[in-house]
Amino acid sequence: MTKKRVVLAGECMVEFASQGEDSYRLGYAGDVYNTAVYLSRSCAQECDVQFMTVVGKDAVSAKLLALMESEKIGCEFLWKDASATLGAYCIQLDPQGERQFIYWRGQSAARRLLQHIGDPTVLAANPIDMLYFSGITLAILTPEDRAQFFALAALWRNAGARIVFDPNYRPRLWPDADTARAAFQQAYELSEIALPGIDDHRMLYNQDSAREVIDFLQGCGVAEVVVKDGPNGATLAVDGDIIQVPAVAVSQVVDTTAAGDSFNGAYLSARLRGLDARTAAEQAAKLASDVVQHRGAIVAM
Ligand code: ADP
């Protein structure tokens, strides 16, 4: 059996999670990377999962590559740049006990992705089955690089790849909301599957219900829409049906980081393995409910 080739494009950062006074635990995370991990864990037999990014040529980057290998994530679309390294963030509890994220990602290697890709037609000659990226993938690129990235996505799409997009809107990564909306419009118009959180659309489009998000995205030509709404579950629009998939209730929510990322990984894994959308969303809700009961983005295997 030939494996389906899935490329997930984005950034993985070094995570410093505060363990109390002056002590931090080092980890690796980033929205698209988290999705790649959860996707690979459930379909490495059937799919060849590739993470598209740029890392440094240093020990911290090497450790990420070792982790990727242990998660069976390939690096055919990963470049090493000697003059840059991974972005980083620190998770610190503020005096009220709320988690605070502090980032150093402005100069990260991943921002140089298009410099390493070069001519998109060369890469696009290498056929794939699915390309996944998020609004964060788009936000860290310059406008020129974003246009080149869309050109690559369009070439892959014309060659038969399914394009999948999660907007993951982070206002502080964008110069203004109009720029984000323009980029998301292009992404949605290329996408066969969209996995937005309802919060993304509330902030950017003033849409308040799953139904409004679905109508908007169907207007952009998205065939399969999955609107995520935290503990309220997800609403799917696929093949003319609207399907509600409740969240799996948990007794104690520990950390909701990567609920959406893990949901996306499990959902796409199930779809790539030929399962129907409802079953895929049920499996995704189950995994996400496990993830919210653990600290950190990536739960130990
Ligand atoms: P995103 O961050 O992408 O908006 P959500 O926060 O909506 O993602 O979460 C995605 C999925 O994770 C939900 O549809 C649900 O199945 C699950 N989930 C999220 N929060 C909880 C929670 N508190 N309890 C149980 N499941 C949850």
Side-chain angles (χ1 to χ4, degrees):
M1 183 187 75
T2 54
K3 289 188 172 187
K4 293 207 168 122
R5 277 164 74 73
V6 186
V7 175
L8 298 99
E11 172 169 28
C12 183
M13 289 168 287
V14 179
E15 175 192 89
F16 298 97
S18 174
Q19 305 291 292
E21 189 95 359
D22 292 340
S23 166
Y24 293 88
R25 198 191 53 230
L26 187 122
Y28 292 84
D31 69 331
V32 173
Y33 177 72
N34 305 339
T35 297
V37 168
Y38 290 111
L39 173 61
S40 178
R41 284 183 185 178
S42 53
C43 74
Q45 298 283 330
E46 298 88 352
C47 299
D48 168 19
V49 179
Q50 298 285 335
F51 185 45
M52 176 188 268
T53 196
V54 184
V55 302
K57 283 189 175 171
D58 49 73
V60 173
S61 297
K63 199 168 162 195
L64 169 62
L65 300 184
L67 270 176
M68 283 172 54
E69 196 179 347
S70 70
E71 297 282 1
K72 300 192 172 66
I73 299 172
C75 49
E76 271 177 54
F77 299 89
L78 180 147
W79 290 269
K80 295 180 192 165
D81 188 321
S83 58
T85 191
L86 301 180
Y89 67 99
C90 167
I91 310 172
Q92 191 90 44
L93 288 184
D94 71 13
Q96 285 73 42
E98 293 287 330
R99 289 180 320 143
Q100 235 186 14
F101 290 81
I102 303 147
Y103 289 94
W104 297 264
R105 70 188 306 184
Q107 308 290 320
S108 67
R111 292 184 182 247
R112 304 183 179 191
L113 181 63
L114 271 296
Q115 292 172 30
H116 291 274
I117 288 179
D119 179 357
T121 55
V122 176
L123 204 58
N126 194 341
I128 63 168
D129 294 286
M130 183 178 278
L131 172 68
Y132 174 91
F133 59 97
S134 78
I136 298 178
T137 311
L138 300 177
I140 64 171
L141 302 176
T142 63
E144 296 73 29
D145 286 0
R146 207 178 293 139
Q148 287 291 90
F149 183 79
F150 283 133
L152 172 64
L155 287 166
W156 260 330
R157 189 181 98 139
N158 294 342
R162 288 201 265 178
I163 309 297
V164 185
F165 179 63
D166 179 342
N168 260 339
Y169 179 50
R170 299 290 181 274
R172 66 175 153 183
L173 289 179
W174 292 95
D176 52 65
D178 281 339
T179 309
R181 272 190 289 267
F184 290 4
Q185 186 71 31
Q186 271 187 282
Y188 281 137
E189 284 172 6
L190 283 167
S191 295
E192 182 175 320
I193 305 178
L195 300 155
I198 202 160
D199 287 341
D200 300 322
H201 278 248
R202 203 170 273 135
M203 281 190 279
L204 263 187
Y205 303 101
N206 221 1
Q207 293 164 356
D208 229 17
S209 68
R211 198 59 226 217
E212 280 176 273
V213 178
I214 287 167
D215 288 346
F216 174 76
L217 293 182
Q218 287 181 334
C220 299
V222 182
E224 184 167 333
V225 181
V226 181
V227 184
K228 294 168 287 175
D229 189 11
N232 301 317
T235 308
L236 283 62
V238 55
D239 297 332
D241 293 324
I242 300 284
I243 303 167
Q244 299 286 345
V245 175
V248 175
V250 303
S251 51
Q252 205 201 349
V253 176
V254 176
D255 180 357
T256 58
T257 306
D261 305 335
S262 60
F263 183 101
N264 294 356
Y267 183 82
L268 295 173
S269 160
R271 294 299 274 148
L272 285 158
R273 285 179 286 122
L275 300 180
D276 63 86
R278 180 193 293 275
T279 309
E282 286 167 355
Q283 294 188 357
K286 173 75 183 69
L287 176 66
S289 75
D290 289 338
V291 169
V292 301
Q293 292 180 79
H294 291 85
R295 198 164 292 289
I298 294 172
V299 173
M301 247 188 272

